[in-house]
Amino acid sequence: MSSGRTLPLSSAAGASGQRLLRYTLAERVNHWIATLSYIYLLLTGLAFWSPYLFWLVIFSGGGPAARFWHPWVGLLFTASVLYMYALWRGDMLLTPADLVWRRSVLSYIRNEDEHLPPVGRFNMGQKQFFWLMLGGGVLLALSGFGLWFVDALPWSLRYLRYLAIFLHVVFALATIGGFIVHVYMGTAVVRGGFTSILRGEVSAGWARLHHRLWYDQVTGASSRKK
Amino acid sequence: MSQATLRIRKMSGHAGPVPGAGTQRELQVCKLIDVTTCIGCKACEVACLEWNALPYRETLFENTYQTMPETAWNFWNLIKFNEYERPDGSLMWLMRKDQCMHCAEPGCLAACPADAAIVQYANGVVDFQQDHCIGCGYCVSGCPFNIPKFNSSTKKVFKCTFCSDRVSEGLEPACIKACPSGCLHFGTKDDMKELAAQRASQLREHFGFPNAGVYDPPGVGGTGVIYVLHDASNPEQYGGLPKNPAIPWVVKLWKGPVKWLGNLAIAGGIIAVTLHYLRYGAKIVKEDNRAEGGQP
Ligand code: HEM
Ligand code: SF4
Ligand code: SF4
């Protein structure tokens, strides 16, 4: 069993000891490549961002090494979000169910999940985070190229470099905002979520509470209509 | 500068005040380049290469006398040659010594993220410390004069040092020393400004250059290198000397408001999720929720 922590399993519910596969091994490995590379980019990027955080370069072997590796790790990150797109794009499109769910988003924030309409494999917040990271990953790579090869742009094209700096900073900040919420939700709030992205499994109750339509789909449950 | 620390403050057995008491020493150094008397001999180019022991760089011939199109990481001092056609159709050379301007408000320094990779000394000289440089190239974006140049094999940036090693010992920079025509001058900023103003008025009044003037652009707080130009109303014709140089507004925005807003947003995000947790905590799954989840 994969659960590192005990979910309040109830025997009354019969099949509720059942575990469902939520993430395949490929999905999990890819997620952790994205996470680790993002954290590296975040720490080195923040070091360049503020003199008060420049000390963060100690984690990557000093300033020149941080500057050397940041773009390469960036490529790895972008590659992983592109692969994520290949894996999840079907599940990440907004559906009518998401729009219904959105009206009750306050209930979601207040942890009154019983009042929420059912959603599929991902809820709207997760989908938005996915698109943010995909767009961010691509645009950070594009703008990053403008910064990477310092002497590639001639003086007459300097405005491209200015643009690249600006876009890089803006998209880094946008992804950081998403990242904070994502990490917080995935570890502190949605208990069981962190285990699922580590070992791939969730309990049936978890799936029913958070992703009812997905639960119905993978279990073939006919308890409710889609 | 070092001698300034040895000025005498008190003296034993001395009648009256210490000699020199109350006087002040002007620390700001300045190069004055009088382009109207430059003869294009390139002695300064050679002197710069020699004093700074810069490795050989191939020249690039582009149908002009100019050694190469722009300064390079190992070529910090370049005479820009420009052919100018007078209204009467005759030709005239406009030659300008191009190098770091040693801005009072240096854009390179404002943009640099690395601790002490760029410093400005009390005498106004802006100097790169390559051992602290991380090779990001932000200084290239910060400079309005296209001066910092990247060496892609060492990943460090270089430019004119104002011969800070010579100046700190009381010597003039090597280019000044080598100039045979007297077009390059070195001294305090105040003295050079006065000399420049004198020369400009001479050009206006006696040489038929009504637009002659001094180039000491206020957009970067004034510079440690100032020019006397025959036509100060059009500095661009001297090989692209910007008319109103300033730190690019994108760089100011990025290092100013964007930085503060970004810091606020990051801190705000962390505070917000912390407060959320304190108020609402975790979502608890009840395994016997068959009937509830998703039922409005
Ligand atoms: C393929 C993707 C990426 C490439 C090629 C790339 C490249 C670069 C380059 C060349 C720089 C210039 C500064 C330096 O390295 O010293 C930079 C700065 C930076 N990068 Fe990236 N990067 C990428 C992705 C990311 C991501 C995903 C983040 C998100 C955290 C990020 C955050 C930053 C930050 C915060 C800075 C500093 C901006 C500043 O100084 O204001 N980068 N990046
Ligand atoms: S390349 Fe070096 S000197 Fe230039 S901004 Fe980056 S760290 Fe500073
Ligand atoms: S001319 Fe450029 S490199 Fe020189 S001090 Fe000014 S901004 Fe810096």
Side-chain angles (χ1 to χ4, degrees):
Chain A
M1 281 296 275
S2 58
S3 172
R5 45 184 303 289
T6 40
L7 292 162
L9 293 186
S10 154
S11 53
S16 60
Q18 177 196 4
R19 309 285 299 177
L20 304 175
L21 179 67
R22 181 156 169 81
Y23 297 114
T24 64
L25 183 62
E27 288 174 330
R28 282 176 279 152
V29 169
N30 186 52
H31 176 271
W32 286 103
I33 292 176
T35 308
L36 294 177
S37 56
Y38 186 84
I39 289 173
Y40 181 89
L41 292 163
L42 183 64
L43 294 182
T44 50
L46 286 178
F48 309 138
W49 161 258
S50 165
Y52 295 96
L53 297 173
F54 192 68
W55 57 271
L56 285 170
V57 298
I58 58 173
F59 292 122
S60 58
R67 169 60 176 83
F68 179 85
W69 286 111
H70 180 101
W72 288 106
V73 178
L75 290 188
L76 180 66
F77 172 74
T78 303
S80 68
V81 291
L82 288 176
Y83 183 52
M84 213 176 269
Y85 173 72
L87 289 171
W88 288 345
R89 72 183 142 187
D91 294 322
M92 290 295 182
L93 296 172
L94 282 191
T95 62
D98 293 322
L99 301 179
V100 178
W101 184 88
R102 182 174 62 181
R103 287 193 231 121
S104 318
V105 72
L106 280 181
S107 303
Y108 186 73
I109 292 173
R110 296 195 193 109
N111 291 350
E112 294 157 1
D113 294 60
E114 317 78 59
H115 305 318
L116 284 170
V119 290
R121 188 176 181 197
F122 299 106
N123 68 32
M124 202 183 68
Q126 292 172 301
K127 291 179 183 179
Q128 284 174 334
F129 177 67
F130 168 83
W131 292 109
L132 172 70
M133 287 319 238
L134 179 68
V138 170
L139 282 157
L140 281 162
L142 288 178
S143 57
F145 269 108
L147 303 175
W148 193 346
F149 303 102
V150 175
D151 46 2
L153 286 176
W155 180 244
S156 52
L157 295 181
R158 60 190 177 281
Y159 296 100
L160 283 181
R161 206 194 328 263
Y162 303 160
L163 183 72
I165 288 190
F166 201 72
L167 290 181
H168 203 77
V169 168
V170 169
F171 283 99
L173 286 171
T175 63
I176 289 170
F179 184 74
I180 292 172
V181 177
H182 176 73
V183 172
Y184 168 65
M185 297 298 292
T187 56
V189 179
V190 183
R191 297 292 167 90
F194 192 65
T195 322
S196 76
I197 199 65
L198 274 179
R199 299 303 312 278
E201 292 175 352
V202 292
S203 72
W206 189 97
R208 276 195 300 271
L209 179 65
H210 295 302
H211 300 282
R212 184 60 183 240
L213 300 180
W214 174 73
Y215 171 82
D216 292 349
Q217 189 192 331
V218 293
T219 56
S222 51
S223 60
R224 48 179 302 114
K225 269 181 65 202
K226 206 167 171 201
Chain B
M1 235 165 76
S2 49
Q3 281 101 329
T5 60
L6 297 182
R7 283 183 57 189
I8 291 166
R9 190 186 291 157
K10 290 180 181 169
M11 248 179 193
S12 65
H14 183 73
V18 170
T23 58
Q24 282 195 358
R25 204 185 152 88
E26 163 66 284
L27 288 178
Q28 298 295 310
V29 294
C30 182
K31 290 190 217 180
L32 163 57
I33 300 172
D34 178 3
V35 303
T36 66
T37 50
C38 173
I39 57 172
C41 71
K42 305 186 182 179
C44 52
E45 289 186 1
V46 177
C48 177
L49 296 179
E50 292 212 334
W51 177 260
N52 295 297
L54 295 176
Y56 169 74
R57 179 176 194 91
E58 239 169 65
T59 58
L60 194 65
F61 180 66
E62 284 192 326
N63 289 310
T64 130
Y65 284 117
Q66 197 168 310
T67 310
M68 55 186 71
E70 55 179 34
T71 59
W73 75 264
N74 53 354
F75 206 92
W76 303 338
N77 176 125
L78 177 71
I79 301 292
K80 294 232 172 164
F81 285 76
N82 304 279
E83 253 174 70
Y84 169 73
E85 206 182 306
R86 292 196 186 88
D88 67 3
S90 61
L91 287 180
M92 170 182 172
W93 277 116
L94 298 181
M95 287 162 297
R96 177 177 65 91
K97 178 179 175 309
D98 189 34
Q99 81 272 277
C100 172
M101 301 295 286
H102 298 275
C103 310
E105 286 152 24
C108 55
L109 190 147
C112 178
D115 201 353
I118 304 178
V119 297
Q120 185 182 51
Y121 302 122
N123 65 6
V125 170
V126 177
D127 215 359
F128 284 22
Q129 312 290 311
Q130 279 78 17
D131 46 349
H132 293 284
C133 167
I134 64 170
C136 64
Y138 285 178
C139 49
V140 177
S141 297
C143 173
F145 295 99
N146 187 18
I147 291 302
K149 294 287 152 57
F150 190 67
N151 176 344
S152 49
S153 58
T154 60
K155 310 244 185 283
K156 304 281 179 190
V157 173
F158 297 87
K159 68 159 190 71
C160 157
T161 65
F162 208 114
C163 287
S164 53
D165 47 351
R166 292 174 59 90
V167 170
S168 63
E169 296 302 320
L171 297 171
E172 72 275 65
C175 51
I176 312 280
K177 174 100 176 165
C179 179
S181 74
C183 115
L184 302 183
H185 306 257
F186 168 72
T188 65
K189 176 90 191 241
D190 286 346
D191 285 354
M192 292 304 106
K193 265 161 65 176
E194 189 162 326
L195 196 61
Q198 243 172 49
R199 173 63 181 159
S201 77
Q202 196 178 39
L203 287 165
R204 283 193 299 270
E205 283 156 29
H206 304 294
F207 291 86
F209 291 107
N211 293 328
V214 182
Y215 185 84
D216 182 15
V220 290
T223 48
V225 174
I226 64 178
Y227 292 106
V228 172
L229 305 176
H230 321 79
D231 182 359
S233 68
N234 185 8
E236 295 281 352
Q237 69 192 343
Y238 294 86
L241 192 60
K243 186 161 182 157
N244 292 310
I247 301 178
W249 64 267
V250 186
V251 173
K252 282 196 203 152
L253 191 66
W254 159 44
K255 291 285 173 174
V258 170
K259 208 122 285 198
W260 289 111
L261 288 175
N263 289 339
L264 267 177
I266 295 174
I270 293 171
I271 292 171
V273 296
T274 309
L275 288 180
H276 180 268
Y277 194 73
L278 297 180
R279 172 65 184 81
Y280 295 109
K283 292 183 187 293
I284 303 300
V285 173
K286 295 195 218 74
E287 277 307 319
D288 55 355
N289 59 0
R290 275 195 173 277
E292 318 174 346
Q295 305 279 17

